Amino acid sequence: MNMQRVSTKPAEPATMEELVTEHGRWTAKAMSLGGTEKVARQHALGKLTVRERIERLLDSGSFHEYGRFTSHYTQDIPTVETITPADGVVMGFGLIDGRHVCVVGEDFTIMGGSHGVINARKKLHAIQMARRERVPLIWLLDGAGARGQELMNDGLPDVTHFLEQARLSGTAPQIGLVLGPCAGDSALVAAGSEFVVMRKGTAMMAAGGPPVVKAATGIEVTKEDLGGSAIHTQVSGVADNEAETDEEALDLARRFLSYLPQNAWNWPERGTPAEPEAIDLGRIVPAQKRRAYDMKMLIRGIVDAGSFFEIKPNYAKMMITGLARMDGHPVGIVANQPLVHAGAITAAAARKAQHFIELCSAYHVPLVFLQDVPGVMTGPQAEKEGTLRAGLSLVNSLAWSEVPKVTIVIRKAFGFAACAMGGWGGEQSYVAAWLTADFASLPVSGGVAAAFKREIEAAPDPAQALREIEARFVGGTGPYNAAARFTVHDVIAPSETRGHILHALSLARSRRSAQPQPVAKYGVSP
């Protein structure tokens, strides 16, 4: 029988031209996303693709991708025909306003942007690199959660990337842009970020999507009702700001970073100084103490024009938090809003202020408190919400905040709520009262009735007795009594406010004798 001889001669090595051609094939596939049909579907929803988002976010031509030839987990050797481009997550580094950032973008056109083995490895690597290189990390989230084909029987779930994300917090800014339906891991990564934006109409954050909810509870619910942008920016407070489009969300990320340093080892950078809006501050606060006014107008009359960037504008509206500039320098504004519950501090308002104060403290941004607060919200519902503990947690954040602070009392400064809003003894660089300021550990109205209850009830005319006792105290609640007792540094006219704040912040910058360090955290928060 004739045996056909098999050649043992090795294949000829590929030429450089052939290698370059092969590299082009791999590159084209890596950049192809999920194919033209799925890309068209993404565009039909009014959404950008992940690569379009990255291009829109970063300075032109600055993106350097890491892991572009990755693919899904398999025992087989990958080929150009079988790879899943970038395994559904595009990761790399680029510039925003000339500063380095790390970007991780989920690709919904590849397996719904789901979280698989290699996908997860890239995300963890991005967090670790951002921490090592001390650069901000921006998440572009559009993923459907765990990839069942790879993680269904994976044993005890790995917590490493959540721990690493927590360790990065406070050392370099983290932003989560929720641009599509995110469940499970993607939703958790967003919630763990320091600034969270959700796109209206397309974004969802939930522990499990509607199919999981129905399987677990039997409840049928839409994505919007389960965890849409309205739920998380208005009710839960998990997200900070809402955007109408992908483009707006990306612009919000760029703007947020403009107020913060590259990392906690740097001071915030000064921008271009500007005068405030032409607002007559002396005409904002009504003469009648019970009449409300818009604190946001007052803020605009103090900070550089166009610089106020409100954080959580639709959540706990009785508390205003936001970044701004004064003479070009970044500041954090914490203010009561008399238009909502007279500015009283609820549990939600306290949590909102606490998170913002911790953000500013981590990145060395000075804090300006504008007080008009009648107290901490009281009543059965307030107690059920844990308002006392939330208020104390707010004060706890102040205890460990070493940034310069300025407190301006605009009108009411009552009780513990005034303490939580930067009360006397908070190591401020400046504390002042407007001519309209009204102070008390207890408000005279109500406080007298409680403190002198027996005397009033025993009087022949209780109503007259109440008025007489109130008259004895009402004169001591004004700004000059507080100044006489040295619980404010000065009493000022509204028109003087910006000048005094600028002086205090300039004075506080004298502390900057060395580069800053990340802020240490101690104690057990209430």
Side-chain angles (χ1 to χ4, degrees):
M1 184 173 69
N2 293 328
M3 299 287 293
Q4 186 176 5
R5 298 184 65 183
V6 178
S7 174
T8 58
K9 183 180 179 181
E12 291 291 327
T15 65
M16 181 54 71
E17 289 78 6
E18 290 171 333
L19 291 174
V20 169
T21 299
E22 181 70 1
H23 179 67
R25 292 179 64 233
W26 278 86
T27 301
K29 182 60 181 289
M31 303 294 286
S32 67
L33 306 173
T36 55
E37 185 177 323
K38 290 184 178 179
V39 168
R41 192 180 307 162
Q42 185 89 342
H43 287 158
L45 293 171
K47 296 163 65 177
L48 300 176
T49 67
V50 63
R51 295 191 179 277
E52 290 168 341
R53 288 166 177 166
I54 291 172
E55 183 179 358
R56 179 73 167 71
L57 173 69
L58 301 177
D59 296 353
S60 180
S62 69
F63 184 55
H64 291 262
E65 186 173 352
Y66 286 43
R68 63 175 166 164
F69 295 120
T70 50
S71 182
H72 65 288
Y73 180 77
T74 176
Q75 296 293 331
D76 299 324
I77 296 174
T79 66
V80 172
E81 292 73 27
T82 61
I83 64 168
T84 51
D87 198 29
V89 59
V90 179
M91 169 249 175
F93 293 82
L95 302 176
I96 290 182
D97 293 332
R99 300 193 302 181
H100 289 284
V101 298
C102 180
V103 181
V104 179
E106 293 179 328
D107 181 4
F108 195 78
T109 70
I110 297 291
M111 297 186 177
S114 57
H115 184 77
V117 173
I118 307 302
N119 178 297
R121 187 175 297 168
K122 288 176 73 174
K123 290 174 179 175
L124 173 60
H125 191 68
I127 301 171
Q128 292 171 331
M129 284 200 71
R131 185 180 176 201
R132 184 164 58 248
E133 308 301 341
R134 300 179 178 179
V135 298
L137 175 58
I138 304 170
W139 298 90
L140 309 178
L141 297 162
D142 194 359
R147 189 179 300 167
Q149 302 95 315
E150 298 178 20
L151 300 177
M152 190 78 73
N153 296 313
D154 202 39
L156 185 65
D158 190 341
V159 72
T160 306
H161 65 301
F162 294 122
L163 298 181
E164 289 289 341
Q165 187 183 16
R167 291 169 184 142
L168 176 62
S169 179
T171 65
Q174 294 184 70
I175 299 174
L177 304 184
V178 185
L179 304 172
C182 294
D185 191 86
S186 298
L188 290 164
V189 165
S193 299
E194 293 162 346
F195 178 58
V196 184
V197 177
M198 293 186 72
R199 180 179 163 180
K200 187 176 181 180
T202 63
M204 180 197 76
M205 272 198 293
V212 174
V213 172
K214 184 176 181 180
T217 68
I219 297 173
E220 292 190 11
V221 64
T222 66
K223 293 177 182 178
E224 194 67 30
D225 290 338
L226 177 62
S229 60
I231 295 294
H232 289 307
T233 60
Q234 299 174 31
V235 182
S236 74
V238 172
D240 297 302
N241 290 47
E242 189 177 51
E244 293 287 340
T245 63
D246 282 12
E247 291 85 352
E248 184 185 352
L250 298 166
D251 288 344
L252 287 173
R254 290 180 65 98
R255 189 177 181 196
F256 176 77
L257 286 179
S258 72
Y259 295 92
L260 303 183
Q262 178 80 345
N263 53 51
W265 288 268
N266 287 279
W267 299 111
E269 296 181 4
R270 186 184 187 188
T272 303
E275 291 298 313
E277 292 183 36
I279 294 173
D280 186 351
L281 297 177
R283 300 177 66 87
I284 293 177
V285 179
Q288 297 86 353
K289 292 183 178 181
R290 290 183 177 273
R291 281 190 59 192
Y293 61 93
D294 189 355
M295 182 66 81
K296 293 181 186 180
M297 182 179 292
L298 193 153
I299 292 169
R300 298 203 319 268
I302 293 174
V303 304
D304 293 5
S307 73
F308 184 54
F309 179 50
E310 191 171 0
I311 307 294
K312 289 188 183 297
N314 296 316
Y315 177 72
K317 292 183 178 182
M318 68 289 298
M319 182 73 74
I320 300 170
T321 55
L323 297 163
R325 293 186 182 275
M326 298 192 71
D327 195 33
H329 294 282
V331 297
I333 304 291
V334 182
N336 308 109
Q337 175 57 288
L339 290 175
V340 183
H341 295 325
I345 297 178
T346 63
R351 288 191 292 267
K352 174 179 176 176
Q354 177 190 1
H355 182 272
F356 183 73
I357 288 168
E358 290 179 353
L359 172 74
C360 291
S361 300
Y363 299 112
H364 320 299
V365 177
L367 289 163
V368 177
F369 294 89
L370 302 174
Q371 282 202 28
D372 189 349
V373 60
V376 171
M377 186 63 73
T378 188
Q381 185 60 34
E383 301 310 324
K384 291 176 183 177
E385 293 171 358
T387 305
L388 291 177
R389 171 164 283 186
L392 284 167
S393 294
L394 169 54
V395 173
N396 185 276
S397 69
L398 287 173
W400 299 108
S401 173
E402 297 182 355
V403 299
K405 304 175 192 69
V406 173
T407 299
I408 308 294
V409 180
I410 306 301
R411 192 164 62 178
K412 298 183 292 294
F414 292 170
F416 172 69
C419 299
M421 287 295 298
W424 180 255
E427 299 183 341
Q428 294 95 327
S429 297
Y430 185 65
V431 181
W434 271 22
L435 310 178
T436 48
D438 186 14
F439 298 88
S441 292
L442 281 173
V444 172
S445 178
V448 166
F452 296 90
K453 180 180 179 181
R454 290 186 180 180
E455 183 178 336
I456 293 169
E457 289 177 348
D461 186 344
Q464 178 64 25
L466 175 63
R467 288 193 294 270
E468 290 175 354
I469 297 173
E470 284 182 346
R472 285 161 36 195
F473 288 93
V474 73
T477 63
Y480 297 105
N481 181 62
R485 297 171 184 271
F486 201 53
T487 59
V488 297
H489 292 131
D490 202 1
V491 179
I492 62 174
S495 60
E496 301 174 300
T497 306
R498 178 177 164 93
H500 282 294
I501 294 175
L502 291 178
H503 158 75
L505 296 178
S506 176
L507 173 65
R509 285 193 292 274
S510 301
R511 307 179 195 176
R512 297 182 178 181
S513 57
Q515 286 298 105
Q517 296 289 322
V519 178
K521 295 181 181 179
Y522 303 99
V524 179
S525 181

